[in-house]
Amino acid sequence: VVQLHIFSTAKKLITVLLILFSTCFKEMAELAEHGVFLPYNMQGLTDEQIEELKLKDEWAEKCVPSGGSVFKKDEIGRRNGHAPNEKMQQVIKKTIEEAKALISKKQVQANVCINMEMVKDALDQLRGAVMIVYPMGLPPHDPVRMEFEDKEDLSGTHAGLEVIEESEAQLWWAGKELKETKLLSDYVGRNEKTTIIVKIQKKGQGAPGREPLISHEEQKQMMLYYYRKQEELKKLEEDDDDSFLNAEWADNHALKRQFHGVKDIKWGPR
């Protein structure tokens, strides 16, 4: 039976995964699209402002992608716009997808347990792709390089809000906090094939929200099914409508009244 003290490793793993997903993948995609990070004093400035202030990116000539670059302006003004060529872009993008697959939650469905070695392998793959595309390396202020060197400061950013320190972390399952002093079997029994979904939460925030009973895709399919069913019922109701019985042609006594000459007689004052 596995003891919960190993969950301290799980907390570290989840923290690494959060940082990896929230920052590295996003920044590497931006690297492929718009080139390396501009110095902080040049970010957000227009070309005219940069020229007026006589600012120069010293790293632009050093950090040139393999095979040359293509200019694709970064509208946000964070990167220099000298993106890798199409072939080198595909190297980065393909590696991002492979790294995502390596630590994807789909691994659970394949009965593959994600561990720290797999996370390190994912990071090594990303690091290798960057070395292929940028053999001269990236600027020291580029978030991708800072991420690889574990130097990035996430304070004050949205990604920083998603990172939970190990000392502040709690693990929850089925609305219960998993105590490190207990055995895992105390919560889920001794069936080794049992799969559970554990969530991490900051201390003091209470239990996290429960997982929905059905997935978003299943919900869409159900709504589509009931909509079609409703339309079918409407059509059946229209087919069963007997309002036509009030029509003149449906009157069984119309022919008799016509022979008796009383067809157009109306009662009441004129």
Side-chain angles (χ1 to χ4, degrees), residues 152-161 163:
E152 186 175 17
D153 183 12
L154 296 177
S155 58
T157 65
H158 179 72
L161 299 176
V163 178

Side-chain angles (χ1 to χ4, degrees), residues 129 202 207:
K202 268 191 176 183

Side-chain angles (χ1 to χ4, degrees), residues 61-76:
E61 298 178 0
K62 300 177 183 178
C63 304
V64 179
S66 297
S69 63
V70 292
F71 188 74
K72 189 173 182 182
K73 185 176 178 61
D74 183 6
E75 297 299 331
I76 303 176

Side-chain angles (χ1 to χ4, degrees), residues 188-253:
V188 299
R190 296 178 178 273
N191 187 351
E192 295 181 358
K193 295 184 179 180
T194 300
T195 300
I196 66 172
I197 297 177
V198 177
K199 289 190 174 184
I200 190 169
Q201 192 84 337
K202 268 191 176 183
K203 289 182 178 179
Q205 291 184 346
R210 289 180 176 271
E211 290 286 322
L213 296 177
I214 58 174
S215 67
H216 180 64
E217 186 60 33
E218 289 173 333
Q219 186 179 17
K220 283 171 59 178
Q221 293 298 325
M222 288 175 62
M223 291 177 66
L224 181 61
Y225 170 79
Y226 285 115
Y227 173 77
R228 289 174 177 170
K229 203 72 176 174
Q230 189 177 26
E231 292 299 311
E232 289 177 5
L233 290 174
K234 284 182 181 179
K235 190 174 182 181
L236 289 173
E237 288 177 0
E238 292 173 0
D239 293 341
D240 290 341
D241 187 10
D242 58 359
S243 60
F244 67 89
L245 295 175
N246 296 325
E248 183 178 351
W249 58 266
D251 187 357
N252 294 330
H253 302 288

Side-chain angles (χ1 to χ4, degrees), residues 13 102 104 107-119:
L13 177 59
L102 192 61
S104 170
Q107 294 281 45
V108 177
Q109 300 170 0
N111 294 324
V112 176
C113 181
I114 299 175
N115 52 39
M116 287 297 294
E117 289 301 318
M118 295 175 70
V119 176

Side-chain angles (χ1 to χ4, degrees), residues 8-9 84 108 110 146 164 200:
S8 60
T9 302
V108 177
M146 294 172 70
I164 301 175
I200 190 169

Side-chain angles (χ1 to χ4, degrees), residues 16-243:
V16 172
L17 289 174
L18 284 170
I19 298 174
L20 188 64
F21 274 113
S22 61
T23 306
C24 198
F25 289 154
K26 176 180 177 295
E27 292 296 346
M28 281 199 64
E30 291 291 322
L31 176 67
E33 288 292 327
H34 302 293
V36 299
F37 218 59
L38 284 169
Y40 294 114
N41 62 342
M42 295 178 63
Q43 293 182 21
L45 300 179
T46 63
D47 294 338
E48 292 77 11
Q49 290 172 325
I50 291 175
E51 185 177 352
E52 183 180 347
L53 295 171
K54 298 181 179 180
L55 300 176
K56 185 179 179 181
D57 182 6
E58 298 179 356
W59 295 93
E61 298 178 0
K62 300 177 183 178
C63 304
V64 179
S66 297
S69 63
V70 292
F71 188 74
K72 189 173 182 182
K73 185 176 178 61
D74 183 6
E75 297 299 331
I76 303 176
R78 297 171 69 241
R79 295 184 174 273
N80 66 7
H82 298 288
N85 60 33
E86 183 64 28
K87 183 179 179 181
M88 292 296 103
Q89 283 187 28
Q90 290 304 316
V91 170
I92 294 178
K93 291 178 180 179
K94 183 179 179 182
T95 306
I96 290 174
E97 294 304 316
E98 291 175 351
K100 281 184 177 180
L102 192 61
I103 56 177
S104 170
K105 61 182 180 181
K106 291 182 180 179
Q107 294 281 45
V108 177
Q109 300 170 0
N111 294 324
V112 176
C113 181
I114 299 175
N115 52 39
M116 287 297 294
E117 289 301 318
M118 295 175 70
V119 176
K120 290 177 181 178
D121 287 344
L123 282 168
D124 288 340
Q125 287 183 17
L126 297 173
R127 190 180 288 109
V130 171
M131 290 178 66
I132 292 173
V133 180
Y134 288 93
M136 300 300 293
L138 297 175
H141 55 270
D142 195 295
V144 176
R145 176 172 170 178
M146 294 172 70
E147 184 65 49
F148 291 153
E149 296 177 356
D150 197 21
K151 294 180 180 179
E152 186 175 17
D153 183 12
L154 296 177
S155 58
T157 65
H158 179 72
L161 299 176
E162 297 179 347
V163 178
I164 301 175
E165 296 294 335
E166 181 185 354
S167 59
E168 299 178 357
Q170 291 177 324
L171 294 178
W172 291 79
W173 170 75
K176 301 174 184 176
E177 182 189 351
L178 303 180
K179 302 287 186 180
E180 296 186 13
T181 55
K182 290 189 176 183
L183 300 177
L184 187 57
S185 61
D186 294 337
Y187 297 98
V188 299
R190 296 178 178 273
N191 187 351
E192 295 181 358
K193 295 184 179 180
T194 300
T195 300
I196 66 172
I197 297 177
V198 177
K199 289 190 174 184
I200 190 169
Q201 192 84 337
K202 268 191 176 183
K203 289 182 178 179
Q205 291 184 346
R210 289 180 176 271
E211 290 286 322
L213 296 177
I214 58 174
S215 67
H216 180 64
E217 186 60 33
E218 289 173 333
Q219 186 179 17
K220 283 171 59 178
Q221 293 298 325
M222 288 175 62
M223 291 177 66
L224 181 61
Y225 170 79
Y226 285 115
Y227 173 77
R228 289 174 177 170
K229 203 72 176 174
Q230 189 177 26
E231 292 299 311
E232 289 177 5
L233 290 174
K234 284 182 181 179
K235 190 174 182 181
L236 289 173
E237 288 177 0
E238 292 173 0
D239 293 341
D240 290 341
D241 187 10
D242 58 359
S243 60

